[in-house]
Amino acid sequence: MTTRSCPCGLPRPYDACCGRHHTGAVAAPTAEALMRSRYTAFVRQDAGYLLRTWHPRTRPARIDFDPPMRWTGLEILGTTDGSAFHSAGTVTFRASYRGGALHERSRFERVDGAWTYVDGDFLD
């Protein structure tokens, strides 16, 4: 997967895109970048990264993946705040999987300078 485009939808190889966030080499600089890297972590079933980037106030004890679930694409529909100059932001997205799609508006906050996922509202 290192030479193919990253699952997050950006035209970069995984290692140069979300992979560097997953390894901890570089923190996600925006809420949207964190959203994209978390989607990719779901694709790759990287529970450690998902838990590390979940806000401590809402973080579950563990993540149970649905093994047959196959994510097929991510579409960012909009963002509010969430840049390097903000402490909070939202990302509205549609994540497709075989047989359907998840449409959500996610909330993000910084904790000790790093973006974290707080929670989200399902849309549709």
Side-chain angles (χ1 to χ4, degrees), residues 27-97:
T30 64
E32 179 180 337
L34 182 63
M35 174 64 238
R36 288 181 180 280
S37 69
R38 286 177 56 84
Y39 168 81
T40 299
F42 273 103
V43 170
R44 297 175 61 89
Q45 297 188 2
D46 184 346
Y49 180 77
L50 291 167
L51 291 170
R52 284 191 309 276
T53 59
W54 213 305
H55 195 289
R57 183 175 73 239
T58 57
R59 180 185 304 134
R62 69 174 203 262
I63 296 174
D64 295 319
F65 293 104
D66 182 3
M69 172 78 74
R70 294 293 176 252
W71 296 100
T72 59
L74 176 66
E75 179 184 8
I76 301 297
L77 303 173
T79 62
T80 304
D81 297 333
S83 77
F85 304 104
H86 298 105
S87 59
T90 65
V91 178
T92 304
F93 68 93
R94 181 173 290 111
S96 300
Y97 56 89

